[in-house]
Amino acid sequence: MSAPTVAVWKFASCDGCQLTIIDCEDELLAIAAALDLRLFLEAGPSELLDHYDISLVEGSITTAHDAERIRDVRERSGLLVTIGACATAGGVQALRNSADVAGYTAAVYARPDWIETLATSTPIADHVQVDLELRGCPISKEVLLSTITALVAGRRPAPTGHSVCVECKAAGNTCVLVAHGTACLGPVTHAGCAALCPSFQRGCFGCFGPSESADVDALHTAWRAAGIADADLLRALRTFNVAAPEFAGGAQRVQLRAKEHA
Amino acid sequence: MQALAADGYRVVGPVERDGVIAYADLGSGDDLPTSVTVEQSPGRWRLHHDDSGHRFGWTPGADSWKQFVYPAHQEVLRIRRTDGSFVVTSPPPAAQPLAFIGARDCEVRAMAVLDRVVLDPLHPDPRYAQRRDGVFVVAVTCGVPAATCWCTSMGGGPQPAAGFDVRLTEVHDAVGHRLVAEAGSDRGAELLLRLEMGAATTDDLAAANGVARAAADGMPRRLDGAALPALLQGTDHHPNWEAVAERCLSCGNCTMVCPTCFCSTFSDHTGLTDDGSAPIETVREQDWASCFQLDHSTLGGHAVRATTKARYRQWLTHKLQTWTAQFGTTGCVGCGRCTTWCPAGIDIVHEAAVLAGLPTAAQPPNSQKGSSA
Ligand code: SF4
Ligand code: SF4
Ligand code: SF4
Ligand code: SF4
């Protein structure tokens, strides 16, 4: 069995998901042995090949140039795996999708005329076929490792799409929503973090994006019953996965209901 | 507890933690919650303190004894490749038998329900059997039911009737504040004799029974649980399934906290080797699963129960209807956990009453005739 050739690509992102690979400190030697890492600028390798067995893609599409580049990456890739909230949902930078991008560029850059950017930040899957998505901001080391080990052994990787609540209960946590009245997005958020925030008695803020059955309308009703303000739900939905359809649509409906309420 | 620990038991029971009652390892009686009361309603739990000094003045939280005998996550086996062959090993058995301190009647009955499923003679779970074997149960009579409790509707009551080694009742009356202990087995009797406590008087026993009676009278909700399997027949297209699906998050909390839900999923994990050769070890793991997960009903790449409506219907009918045909017992012991810990505050008693066409599901606490209040 020869190690699969691997490339790690970056689009609009903070590099945190790529760093999760390097963060696998104890397993790093084994990963380096199991994968034939040919392109991973963050770590060193920079060989541009015509074909990689596996491409890990971080970041969202925010420029016309990147929209072209992702097609090229797709053509060079056997399996294309997107990693992180930017690649899978457009990331926090997708806040621009409902804002005035020209106004932002003017406010931030001394020479806005030098900036070429799209009005939107979109996930990779809006542009090319994606074979597997790893969620999170950043991705979870454990999910990454189980995906790598599955691919290497020829098993089907199985990231689960159920809610954070399932992991939260398995961890034996106190439910902060029910017992403390703390705003928690766990019931609509995709598992994978092992319920990190509720384990420290904080509410989940949805960095893994919508779960397989995310029902923001039902959560809105539940949060209201717990005495949590609509504005808090809107803020929670409009962060790392603001452009994920379930969160974006849910936030719109929350806003409508908030207006009716007022 | 010290006597049980000296006898080699791992003693576990209630502690106050992060604003809830959790079940954890106990060192001594000092670890028990003290002067704690709880307020429970659909989707809401709050813990309060008073100056009563009571040890068992609360009702249970999300934790249940299931987590000790049927843990949320466990290793099932390990397969290791050797030269031309392979070796399969099972995880080592637990070093100590368990002693549960403070199990309520619903919890004692839940253990029996889970036993019936997981120790089914056709395919008993050896890991469960090993942990369950010889569990020493110190049960406690409930004095104050929560607003979500409905054990008397599901074949139980505040006073555990069987399935314990020792039964405690906390009595606080004109005579004083004391725990009345009764033996439920030979080893329970042996333990109590060894402790050389003062013998309970007939007044003590009468007072203990009085606590149970008052709690039963004050049970906030009643529903004819025994009639539910028949009444829920033919409700598949009842409009209430849609109505509840509007509010249900498919989050799975209800099944995770239910002390009788047994669904689990298995997964295999392979490791990596430092020289890039094929992995030499595979670990098979078992995790709690829920009928609210799409995976749970996925067959041939397609989820049979794709909608929340279908999943809620599976949950409620399995608990209150089909379980009886499947296992010959009820699937629900009336503990109320699924209702308190549902973030959407969905009340299984209310939903069942609507579906079954029964008049009343919930009444405010202490509103019934014969109430202790
Ligand atoms: S704390 Fe949040 S994630 Fe955990 S069970 Fe409660 S709602 Fe779900
Ligand atoms: S179905 Fe609900 S009330 Fe019944 S045993 Fe399970 S958690 Fe308790
Ligand atoms: S109610 Fe659902 S999770 Fe519980 S035992 Fe039945 S199918 Fe399994
Ligand atoms: S009934 Fe409540 S706890 Fe159960 S899945 Fe629905 S929202 Fe979650």
Side-chain angles (χ1 to χ4, degrees), chain B residues 42-131:
Chain B
R44 188 181 150 93
W45 160 287
R46 289 295 182 275
L47 187 140
H48 304 292
H49 290 102
D50 60 18
D51 55 6
S52 64
H54 294 172
R55 297 302 200 148
F56 297 102
W58 42 271
T59 38
D63 279 17
S64 75
W65 310 101
K66 178 172 88 168
Q67 71 204 47
F68 296 103
V69 287
Y70 196 68
H73 175 83
Q74 59 178 310
E75 184 177 319
V76 176
L77 53 82
R78 227 163 243 269
I79 305 173
R80 212 178 162 75
R81 196 153 47 79
T82 57
D83 247 349
S85 183
F86 61 87
V87 182
V88 182
T89 51
S90 304
Q96 293 174 284
L98 288 156
F100 293 158
I101 307 294
R104 311 302 179 114
D105 170 70
C106 58
E107 303 189 298
V108 172
R109 286 183 296 117
M111 288 182 229
V113 172
L114 200 56
D115 287 352
R116 168 64 191 87
V117 176
V118 188
L119 296 178
D120 185 284
L122 278 178
H123 35 69
D125 174 342
R127 294 168 304 284
Y128 179 90
Q130 196 272 330
R131 295 190 193 99

Side-chain angles (χ1 to χ4, degrees), chain B residues 106 110 148 150 154 254-255 257-261 315 319-320 331-339 348-349:
Chain B
C106 58
T148 43
W150 62 306
M154 296 311 295
C254 46
T255 64
V257 296
C258 178
T260 67
C261 272
W315 142 257
K319 298 271 81 167
L320 300 178
C332 170
V333 295
C335 72
R337 280 181 177 81
C338 55
T339 298
I348 193 171
V349 184

Side-chain angles (χ1 to χ4, degrees), chain A residues 155 162-163 178 180 201 213, chain B residues 18 46 251 270 293-294 311:
Chain A
R155 273 184 297 116
H162 55 244
S163 72
V178 168
H180 301 170
Q201 298 194 60
S213 314
Chain B
D18 302 341
R46 289 295 182 275
C251 64
T270 40
Q293 295 166 319
L294 276 182
R311 284 177 259 166

